[in-house]
Amino acid sequence: MGESLTESRTETALPAPGGPRHAEHRRTAGTPEGRGAAGPQRDGRPAPAEEHEARMLLERARAEVDPVLRAALGSLPGPMRRIAQYHIGWEQADGTVVEGGSGAAAEGGSGKAIRPALVLAAAAARGGSEARAGAARAAAAVELVHHFTLLHDEVTDRETTRRHRPTAWTVFGDADAILAGDALQALALRLLAQDPHPAAPAAAVRLADCVVELCAGQHADTALERCAPTEVTLDEVLAMAEAKTGALIGSACAIGGLYAGASETEVAALDAFGREAGLAFQLIDDVAGIWGDPCRTGKPGGADAAARKKSLPVAAAFASGHPAAAELAELYARPAETEDLERIALAVERAGGRDWAQGQAADRMARAMQQLARAVPDPEAAGGLLALAECVTRRTG
Amino acid sequence: MGESLTESRTETALPAPGGPRHAEHRRTAGTPEGRGAAGPQRDGRPAPAEEHEARMLLERARAEVDPVLRAALGSLPGPMRRIAQYHIGWEQADGTVVEGGSGAAAEGGSGKAIRPALVLAAAAARGGSEARAGAARAAAAVELVHHFTLLHDEVTDRETTRRHRPTAWTVFGDADAILAGDALQALALRLLAQDPHPAAPAAAVRLADCVVELCAGQHADTALERCAPTEVTLDEVLAMAEAKTGALIGSACAIGGLYAGASETEVAALDAFGREAGLAFQLIDDVAGIWGDPCRTGKPGGADAAARKKSLPVAAAFASGHPAAAELAELYARPAETEDLERIALAVERAGGRDWAQGQAADRMARAMQQLARAVPDPEAAGGLLALAECVTRRTG
C-alpha cells in the first residue's frame, strides 16, 4: 500500500520549499557545530552535514530496531519465519543468510528503516534521548506494519520484483505471502500490547487506525486503476496517495510523539508533518516512475506509464485541459507498447503534469515544515526530523 | 483457517465421553433446577435443558457482542465496511440490509457467535456476571479475528460458498477481500488496545499469538494438501487441525479467563479445554465432510472427498495399514468423479477412519472435560462452558 520508501526511484531534485518557518528550521536545525560548518547549499540540494545527519539517524535506527525485529520474526513458526525473513531481506529463498542483510547499502538488505527512524526522531525531538530509548518497540511495530502491507500489496498488484529481488509471492506462492503478512500485522500489534510504556495502548490504537487507512488507500488505488483516466479527479488521486503513503509516515511521527508524552495538538502536528512529507515523497516518486532511473529501483524504466498507472503527474495532466491531455488519453487507451513510453512522458510533461508534481512536492514540503515548527518549536530539537524528511523526499542520500 | 463453527455440517452424534470428572460435570453442571429436572439422556444426546442453556448463552452473547461489532465495522471507511458487512451477513452484495441479520437462525445472519459466547462464558465461570460484563469488547475482538481469517482463507482456498452465500472474494474480488480481512484484524486488536480493562494487554498478546498460530495452521493445511496422501502422517494432520481450529477456540476461553483474573494455570487449562473441544468439533466436522448432510452446510455433499482433502478420517484410514487404504490411495490419485465419492467414503470407513475419528472426538471431549474441571472446579459455574462445548461438537442445537 504505497511505494516503499526504501526503493524510491531517483534522486530527482526538489525545488527548495519556501516559507519563513521552514527557512528558519533549515538555518538552525541539527547540531550547531555540524550545521554551522556546512550550512544548506544554495541550489536547494541538502548540505553534506544534513545528509550525514540523516544517514546517522537511519543507521542508528536500524541498530536499535533490528534486534527487536529479529526477535519478533524469530518467534514465528518455521515456514512463516522463512517467508518473513526472505521478504525483509535477511534470508535468500533457500534460507541462507544474506550477508550484510541489516545494512541499508546491502543488496537485498532490510532497507533504510525510514519509518522506525521517524518514530525515534519524533520521540527524541519531543522527549530527548530517554523518550527515544523507550520507543524502540513502537518503531519496530511501525516497520512490521509497513512490511505486512508490502507483502499483501505485492500479491494483489502482481508485483514480481522489489529491491532487485523476486517478491515473496513469486517464491512462496500467494497463499503463504498473504499468511506471512497476516502474521506480521499480528506481531506488530503484539509488540505494542507487550510494551509496558504508558503510551503503548494509544500507539496501538493509532497504528490499527493507520492499517485501516492503508487498506482504504490500497482499495482506492485499485478502484481508480479500473476507471478511465478521464473519470478520475486529481483530488481522488491525491486522497488515495495520502492514505497509501502519507498515513504510515504520519503515524510513525505521531507515535514517536506519543512516546515522548506530547500533547494531542503536538501529536496531530507530527502526524500532519509526516503526511505532508510522505505526499511530497509520493509526488517525487511518481515523477521518477515516468522519467526516472531504473537502476535505482529494480523496476523497468517507465513502469508506471507501461502499466497505465494514474499516478499524480498523469492525473494532473488529464486535469489540465491542455491539448496534450487528449493525446495522453489516446495513448493510455492503447495496449502498452515500449515505443509509447516516451510519447506518454512527453505528453504528461507538455500538459504540465511534471511541473505540477514538482511544485506540489515543494508545497507539501513547505507545509510539512510548518507542521514541524508547530510540533517541535525548538529548531535544534527538530533537526533530526527535518533531515529525515529531506531524506524521505530523496533530497539527501 | 479452520471450518466455521457456524456452519458445521451435521448433527453426527458423538459417543458419550468418558472419565469420572466429566461425568461429575455432566451430572451437576448448570442451574440445579433445570439440570435436575431434565438430566443428561441415556443415549448420550444432550438433555433438553442443556440444549436450552447453550441456545440462551449464544443468544445472549450475540446481544452483547453485536453492538460492539456493529460499532467497530461502522467505523470502517465505506468500501471496507461494505465488504465486512457483506461477509458477516448483515448486508447483501448491493448494500441492502439483511433482515434478521443478527439472528443465528437467519439465512445469511452473522452466525452462532460461539467464540464470543465462549469468551463470555469463561469470564462468567471464573468471575461471575461482573467479569462477563467487562469482557464484551474482548469477545468481539475474538469474533473479528475469526472473520478476518475466514475472509483470507476463502480467497486462498478458492471457496465460493459459505453459509449458502457467495463468499466475499467472489463478489468483491480477491484484493478487496484480502484488504477487508486486514482491516478486521486491525479492528480486533484496536478493540483490545482501547479497552481500559487491566486484562486487555495480556488478551491482546494472546490473540496476536493465536493469529500467528492460525496462519501456521493454514499454511500446514495447504502444504499437506500438496503432499501425496501416503506422505502425510496422522500426527501432522492432528497438529494442523489443532492450530487451525483449536487455537482460536482455546484463545477465546483463555481470554475469558484473563478478564476474570484467573491464574496462569487456570488460563492454561481454559485454553486446553477449548483446544480439545475444538479438535473434537473438527473430527466430527470431518466425518460430516465425508458422510454428512449438505443441506446443513451450503456445500455440496462429499465436498472434502471430491477435493481429495486429507481430513482426519482420511489420514487415519491411510495410516491404518488396512487393505482398504490401498484402494483409497488409488481413488485419491484419480481425477475427481462423482461416482467415486461413495467408494471413497466406503474405503475410509472400511479402513477404520470413521470409527477412529468418532472415538478420537469422544476422547478429546473427555480431555476437554478434565481441563474444564481443573480450570473451573465448581461444576455449577462450569455449566455454561460445558453446554457450549457440547454445542461446539454439535451435540446440541
Side-chain angles (χ1 to χ4, degrees):
Chain A
M1 304 164 191
E3 289 303 325
S4 166
L5 297 187
T6 56
E7 56 150 344
S8 73
R9 292 182 260 213
T10 186
E11 294 207 13
T12 310
L14 184 68
R21 277 184 181 279
H22 173 256
E24 181 195 344
H25 267 87
R26 283 183 59 89
R27 265 199 309 278
T28 52
T31 55
E33 318 84 65
R35 211 51 60 87
Q41 290 178 334
R42 299 218 168 201
D43 62 358
R45 301 282 301 165
E50 266 179 339
E51 252 185 73
H52 178 69
E53 185 175 4
R55 284 208 181 112
M56 292 274 288
L57 285 168
L58 290 168
E59 265 170 47
R60 206 176 142 196
R62 270 196 308 278
E64 285 165 11
V65 172
D66 257 19
V68 187
L69 283 178
R70 285 185 184 273
L73 264 56
S75 75
L76 290 174
M80 295 296 104
R81 185 171 67 233
R82 201 174 140 200
I83 300 161
Q85 291 186 336
Y86 171 83
H87 164 81
I88 212 165
W90 293 339
E91 283 187 8
Q92 309 285 14
D94 63 3
T96 54
V97 172
V98 172
E99 290 303 323
S102 333
E107 189 81 352
S110 56
K112 270 191 171 171
I114 184 80
R115 291 167 192 78
L118 284 167
V119 174
L120 298 176
R126 291 292 326 170
S129 59
E130 201 178 325
R132 182 193 166 93
R137 283 191 202 192
V142 168
E143 187 72 346
L144 286 171
V145 162
H146 174 54
H147 284 294
F148 128 63
T149 60
L150 288 180
L151 273 164
H152 283 190
D153 291 354
E154 286 163 9
V155 171
T156 52
D157 294 343
R158 308 319 284 164
E159 287 182 79
T160 54
T161 307
R162 180 173 299 273
R163 306 179 67 241
H164 307 275
R165 302 169 81 221
T167 47
W169 68 268
T170 67
V171 177
F172 301 99
D174 287 11
D176 281 353
I178 294 169
L179 289 169
D182 290 341
L184 291 193
Q185 184 185 176
L187 283 185
L189 290 158
R190 186 190 201 284
L191 273 178
L192 293 174
Q194 279 188 307
D195 189 344
H197 196 287
V205 170
R206 206 158 188 117
L207 196 56
D209 284 343
C210 179
V211 168
V212 171
E213 190 174 353
L214 291 165
C215 292
Q218 173 69 6
H219 165 82
D221 194 17
T222 52
L224 292 175
E225 286 303 313
R226 282 194 294 266
C227 297
T230 46
E231 289 169 3
V232 174
T233 71
L234 191 50
D235 280 349
E236 284 173 327
V237 180
L238 275 167
M240 177 274 289
E242 183 179 335
K244 269 190 70 160
T245 307
L248 190 53
I249 309 279
S251 293
C253 299
I255 286 170
L258 286 171
Y259 271 71
S263 71
E264 251 180 68
T265 317
E266 291 159 349
V267 169
L270 283 165
D271 186 272
F273 159 74
R275 280 177 185 267
E276 297 289 358
L279 209 49
F281 156 76
Q282 192 58 58
L283 286 152
I284 298 293
D285 197 59
D286 281 0
V287 168
I290 303 174
W291 297 277
D293 169 10
C295 295
R296 292 192 57 83
T297 70
K299 289 182 183 177
D304 285 0
R308 301 290 186 265
K309 286 221 171 190
K310 290 162 209 92
S311 65
L312 287 158
V314 171
F318 277 118
S320 67
H322 190 280
E327 189 197 337
L328 185 62
E330 206 175 289
L331 287 163
Y332 257 54
R334 282 157 50 157
E337 276 176 43
T338 318
E339 54 265 41
D340 286 347
L341 298 185
E342 261 184 61
R343 290 183 61 196
I344 286 175
L346 196 64
V348 176
E349 189 150 15
R350 281 173 45 225
R354 186 175 192 165
D355 283 349
W356 173 86
Q358 287 179 324
Q360 267 283 318
D363 187 43
R364 297 287 173 170
M365 272 304 276
R367 292 194 217 174
M369 294 309 124
Q370 285 166 13
Q371 296 290 350
L372 180 59
R374 197 176 297 169
V376 190
D378 173 9
E380 193 172 324
L385 282 170
L386 177 65
L388 287 171
E390 305 228 325
C391 173
V392 161
T393 51
R394 311 297 304 165
R395 301 193 71 240
T396 69
Chain B
M1 303 163 190
E3 290 303 327
S4 166
L5 297 189
T6 57
E7 57 150 345
S8 74
R9 290 184 260 213
T10 185
E11 293 209 15
T12 311
L14 184 68
R21 277 184 181 281
H22 173 257
E24 182 194 343
H25 267 86
R26 283 185 56 89
R27 264 202 308 279
T28 52
T31 55
E33 318 84 65
R35 213 48 60 87
Q41 291 176 337
R42 297 216 168 202
D43 62 358
R45 300 284 301 164
E50 267 179 338
E51 254 184 72
H52 179 70
E53 185 174 3
R55 285 212 179 110
M56 291 275 289
L57 286 167
L58 290 168
E59 265 169 47
R60 206 176 141 195
R62 270 197 309 280
E64 285 164 11
V65 172
D66 258 19
V68 187
L69 284 178
R70 285 184 184 273
L73 264 56
S75 76
L76 291 173
M80 296 295 104
R81 187 172 65 233
R82 199 174 141 200
I83 300 161
Q85 290 187 335
Y86 172 82
H87 164 82
I88 212 166
W90 292 339
E91 282 187 9
Q92 310 286 12
D94 62 4
T96 54
V97 172
V98 172
E99 290 303 323
S102 331
E107 190 80 350
S110 56
K112 270 192 173 172
I114 185 80
R115 291 168 192 77
L118 284 167
V119 175
L120 299 176
R126 291 291 327 168
S129 58
E130 202 179 325
R132 182 193 167 93
R137 281 191 202 192
V142 167
E143 188 72 346
L144 286 170
V145 162
H146 174 53
H147 284 294
F148 128 61
T149 60
L150 287 180
L151 273 165
H152 284 190
D153 291 354
E154 286 164 8
V155 171
T156 52
D157 294 344
R158 307 321 283 165
E159 287 182 77
T160 54
T161 306
R162 179 172 300 273
R163 306 178 67 241
H164 307 275
R165 302 169 80 221
T167 47
W169 69 268
T170 66
V171 177
F172 301 99
D174 287 11
D176 281 352
I178 294 168
L179 290 170
D182 290 343
L184 292 193
Q185 184 184 178
L187 284 185
L189 290 158
R190 185 191 203 284
L191 274 178
L192 292 174
Q194 279 189 306
D195 190 345
H197 195 288
V205 171
R206 206 155 189 120
L207 197 56
D209 284 342
C210 180
V211 168
V212 171
E213 191 175 353
L214 290 166
C215 292
Q218 173 69 6
H219 166 82
D221 193 18
T222 52
L224 292 175
E225 286 303 312
R226 283 194 292 266
C227 299
T230 46
E231 288 170 4
V232 175
T233 71
L234 191 49
D235 279 350
E236 285 173 326
V237 181
L238 275 167
M240 176 274 288
E242 184 179 335
K244 269 191 67 162
T245 308
L248 190 53
I249 309 279
S251 294
C253 299
I255 287 170
L258 287 170
Y259 271 70
S263 72
E264 251 181 68
T265 317
E266 290 159 349
V267 169
L270 282 166
D271 186 272
F273 160 74
R275 281 177 184 268
E276 297 289 359
L279 210 50
F281 157 75
Q282 192 58 59
L283 286 151
I284 298 292
D285 197 59
D286 280 359
V287 167
I290 302 175
W291 296 278
D293 169 11
C295 296
R296 292 190 57 83
T297 70
K299 289 182 184 177
D304 285 0
R308 301 290 185 265
K309 286 221 171 190
K310 289 162 208 93
S311 65
L312 288 157
V314 170
F318 278 119
S320 66
H322 190 280
E327 190 197 336
L328 184 63
E330 207 176 289
L331 287 163
Y332 256 56
R334 283 159 47 160
E337 276 177 42
T338 317
E339 53 266 40
D340 285 347
L341 298 184
E342 259 183 63
R343 290 182 63 195
I344 286 175
L346 195 63
V348 176
E349 190 150 14
R350 282 172 46 224
R354 185 176 193 165
D355 283 349
W356 172 86
Q358 286 179 324
Q360 268 282 319
D363 187 41
R364 295 289 174 169
M365 273 303 277
R367 292 194 218 176
M369 295 307 125
Q370 286 166 14
Q371 296 289 352
L372 180 58
R374 196 176 296 168
V376 190
D378 173 10
E380 192 172 326
L385 283 170
L386 177 65
L388 288 170
E390 305 227 324
C391 173
V392 162
T393 51
R394 311 297 304 164
R395 302 192 69 242
T396 69

